[in-house]
Amino acid sequence: MNTPRDGDDVTVTDVSSALDYWPSPPPWGWTADDLDHLPAEGPNGEPDFFKHVELIDGALVFMSPQKRFHQRMIRRLSEALDSQAPENLSVVDQMDVKLGHRMRPCPDISIVETTAADDDERTFYTPAEVHLIVEVVSPESEDRDRKTKPFRYAEAGIAHFWRVENNNGSPVVYVYELDPATGAYGLTGIHHGRLTVPVPFSIDIDLDRLPR
């Protein structure tokens, strides 16, 4: 087996070889393009094994089954945002964003250019096409959603990021905006009950009345 060197393109054959190292990552690490070539089944024939997976710093991260709060927030926030978005922007959920060669997270909600969202063959979006990313924090994703992902989203130049936390069944939304001087996110507000912001477009959401 030939081990790819840094900078080499990874082929479908290389991906099959990489699975030989499972559950450890291959020595050269996974790449963002690998996710489009993973098999439908796992190394031991497990169905839909790679259905809910994202790439974080060259490592595959498998997402746990959603809790009801997580699923409800994704659905209801997506509906609320979609009803207020201008025509040139569209809301998508659980679609990858390719941040780099070894970074391809799958945000819970993204607001992207409508021209990109209309392409049904897409498997990921680029940072230039993304205007807002929303992550709904779950117990198993706390470190990724609070630390790793926001840092990477900011590094990629995505202007707006929201983090949604569960406060005894009620959502609390932490709103961040990219500071162009530092290239890092600055917290612009912590929203309980109602979320009203002017960017990336005029948004007004009654968080307490999001339907259950």
Side-chain angles (χ1 to χ4, degrees):
M1 177 182 67
N2 293 323
T3 300
R5 300 181 301 275
D6 287 345
D8 286 350
D9 290 333
V10 179
T11 66
V12 176
T13 302
D14 294 325
V15 173
S16 298
S17 301
L19 291 176
D20 294 338
Y21 291 89
W22 188 258
S24 299
W28 58 90
W30 298 91
T31 70
D33 291 336
D34 289 342
L35 271 65
D36 288 326
H37 303 295
L38 292 173
E41 297 182 343
N44 299 308
E46 304 92 336
D48 295 327
F49 189 77
F50 295 106
K51 184 176 181 180
H52 299 292
V53 64
E54 56 186 351
L55 186 72
I56 306 295
D57 292 328
L60 295 180
V61 176
F62 291 85
M63 293 171 275
S64 299
Q66 293 181 5
K67 291 189 176 180
R68 173 58 178 156
F69 175 85
H70 192 273
Q71 187 268 345
R72 179 167 63 89
M73 284 300 105
I74 292 175
R75 180 179 178 185
R76 300 309 185 188
L77 275 177
S78 294
E79 291 173 348
L81 288 168
D82 194 47
S83 69
Q84 300 177 35
E87 290 186 1
N88 66 307
L89 298 177
S90 294
V91 180
V92 298
D93 64 85
Q94 298 178 313
M95 284 288 294
D96 292 358
V97 177
K98 184 178 177 181
L99 303 182
H101 185 57
R102 300 189 184 280
M103 197 73 182
R104 184 169 156 175
C106 183
D108 290 318
I109 302 171
S110 302
I111 294 181
V112 304
E113 297 284 345
T114 296
T115 52
D118 284 346
D119 184 355
D120 288 339
E121 299 303 311
R122 295 288 290 269
T123 59
F124 64 85
Y125 302 108
T126 65
E129 297 168 323
V130 180
H131 291 247
L132 167 68
I133 281 180
V134 183
E135 294 285 9
V136 182
V137 177
S138 57
E140 62 86 22
S141 70
E142 283 183 355
D143 282 347
R144 296 194 302 278
D145 291 342
R146 293 174 178 173
K147 300 175 183 178
T148 306
K149 287 185 177 182
F151 176 82
R152 295 300 191 187
Y153 294 144
E155 186 178 54
I158 296 172
H160 302 281
F161 171 74
W162 297 357
R163 190 182 80 245
V164 182
E165 301 270 358
N166 183 353
N167 181 24
N168 296 320
S170 297
V172 178
V173 182
Y174 295 76
V175 174
Y176 296 85
E177 187 170 346
L178 189 66
D179 181 346
T182 64
Y185 284 132
L187 181 67
T188 63
I190 303 174
H191 298 261
H192 302 256
R194 194 170 201 94
L195 169 63
T196 303
V197 293
V199 288
F201 51 88
S202 181
I203 298 171
D204 185 9
I205 299 174
D206 188 341
L207 298 173
D208 287 339
R209 295 180 64 85
L210 286 177
R212 291 181 177 272

